[in-house]
């Protein structure tokens, strides 16, 4: 941490800018510039070199962040004085954001389907959840786990898969048309899929193979 040439000041303590005031300015900047809706923020600003002597600022300290600074994690905050003797420096800081996220209420096994009581909301440091997170338990209900999750661990969207509504080889219902002209036929699934996914199916009566969209468990809608 280096101040520009000319920033050092000689003289009494009253003529120097207190280091703590610089740290407080940087901390306040981070606290006020981060999102707070439903989140708790914790900020830790690094200390200045005790040998650093800066002229007392005659105007309120200005704070800023370099372009591309992250919202959370290790960041850098700039503090500058414009009068009477300009100086500028950067302080390292750590920002942590805490928010309620969906976590496993008990150990959950890979391949299992999440039901009521399997997940709860708990506060976690979201900056460390690099795979993402869920903020509503309903987002996880009915989903299948791609991996085993320990009790208390946060669930990530990447770790969840929608439940299969159509499985290869099973009998399904083919639906064509809409409203009064809707036709239902029996068929066999040739591939598997979840809601809104496209699957290949075989019309049992005509033996024709078509593609359709999974509409509900065991039901595939095809184009006429």
């Amino acid at each position: 941490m280096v101040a520009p040439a000319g920033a050092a000041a000689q003289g009494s303590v009253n003529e120097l800018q207190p280091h703590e005031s610089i740290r407080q300015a940087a901390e306040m900047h981070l606290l006020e510039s981060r999102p707070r809706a439903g989140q708790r923020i914790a900020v830790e600003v690094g200390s200045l070199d005790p040998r650093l002597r800066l002229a007392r600022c005659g105007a309120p300290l200005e704070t800023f962040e370099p372009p591309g600074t992250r919202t959370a994690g290790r960041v850098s905050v700039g503090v500058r004085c414009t009068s009477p003797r300009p100086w500028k420096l950067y302080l390292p800081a750590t920002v942590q954001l805490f928010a309620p996220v969906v976590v496993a209420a008990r150990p959950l096994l890979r391949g299992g389907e999440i039901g009521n009581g399997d997940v709860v909301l708990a506060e976690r440091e979201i900056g460390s959840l690099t795979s993402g997170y869920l903020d509503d338990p309903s987002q996880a209900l009915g989903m299948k786990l791609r991996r085993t999750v320990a009790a208390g661990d946060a669930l990530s969207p990447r770790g969840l898969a929608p439940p299969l509504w159509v499985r290869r080889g099973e009998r399904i219902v083919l639906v064509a048309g809409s409203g009064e002209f809707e036709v239902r036929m029996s068929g066999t699934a040739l591939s598997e899929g979840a809601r809104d996914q496209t699957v290949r199916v075989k019309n049992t009566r005509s033996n024709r193979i078509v593609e359709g969209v999974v509409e509900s468990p065991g039901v595939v809608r095809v184009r006429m």
Side-chain angles (χ1 to χ4, degrees):
M1 201 156 29
V2 179
Q10 301 296 327
S12 68
V13 174
N14 291 334
E15 296 174 336
L16 301 178
Q17 184 71 34
H19 285 189
E20 187 58 27
S21 67
I22 301 174
R23 292 185 67 257
Q24 289 177 355
E27 180 178 330
M28 187 60 63
H29 172 91
L30 292 171
L31 289 173
E32 293 180 347
S33 62
R34 265 51 186 175
R36 301 299 295 273
Q39 298 180 355
R40 179 173 64 86
I41 183 171
V43 172
E44 182 177 350
V45 179
S47 300
L48 283 75
D49 187 331
R51 297 169 298 178
L52 188 63
R53 298 164 65 84
L54 299 169
R56 181 179 288 275
C57 196
L61 295 176
E62 298 179 2
T63 55
F64 60 95
E65 293 178 59
T69 299
R70 298 183 299 173
T71 301
R74 295 183 181 274
V75 300
S76 180
V77 184
V79 181
R80 64 184 164 217
C81 172
T82 58
S83 176
R85 300 183 62 183
W87 51 261
K88 178 175 68 175
L89 51 74
Y90 292 89
L91 286 81
T94 301
V95 178
Q96 292 180 300
L97 296 176
F98 297 85
V101 303
V102 178
V103 305
R106 60 182 182 80
L108 303 176
L109 299 179
R110 177 183 177 183
E113 185 172 308
I114 299 174
N116 291 318
D118 288 337
V119 292
V120 294
L121 284 176
E123 187 181 71
R124 294 291 185 271
E125 202 282 296
I126 59 177
S128 63
L129 303 178
T130 55
S131 297
Y133 60 92
L134 306 176
D135 57 12
D136 185 345
S138 66
Q139 297 171 321
L141 295 181
M143 303 290 276
K144 286 187 175 294
L145 290 159
R146 298 183 188 273
R147 62 179 181 83
T148 296
V149 180
D153 282 0
L155 275 65
S156 74
R158 297 181 186 177
L160 301 177
L164 293 177
W165 281 0
V166 169
R167 296 182 181 277
R168 182 176 181 178
E170 72 177 6
R171 297 293 296 272
I172 52 94
V173 175
L174 295 175
V175 180
S178 60
E180 298 179 357
F181 301 98
E182 188 174 89
V183 179
R184 290 178 174 261
M185 303 156 282
S186 63
T188 302
L190 301 181
S191 57
E192 60 185 23
R195 178 181 179 180
D196 295 332
Q197 290 184 339
T198 299
V199 295
R200 296 174 66 249
V201 294
K202 180 179 181 181
N203 187 314
T204 303
R205 178 175 297 181
S206 67
N207 287 329
R208 181 185 176 190
I209 297 176
V210 296
E211 287 188 343
V213 176
V214 180
E215 188 173 72
S216 60
V219 178
V220 177
R221 182 171 293 277
V222 298
R223 294 181 178 180
M224 295 288 289

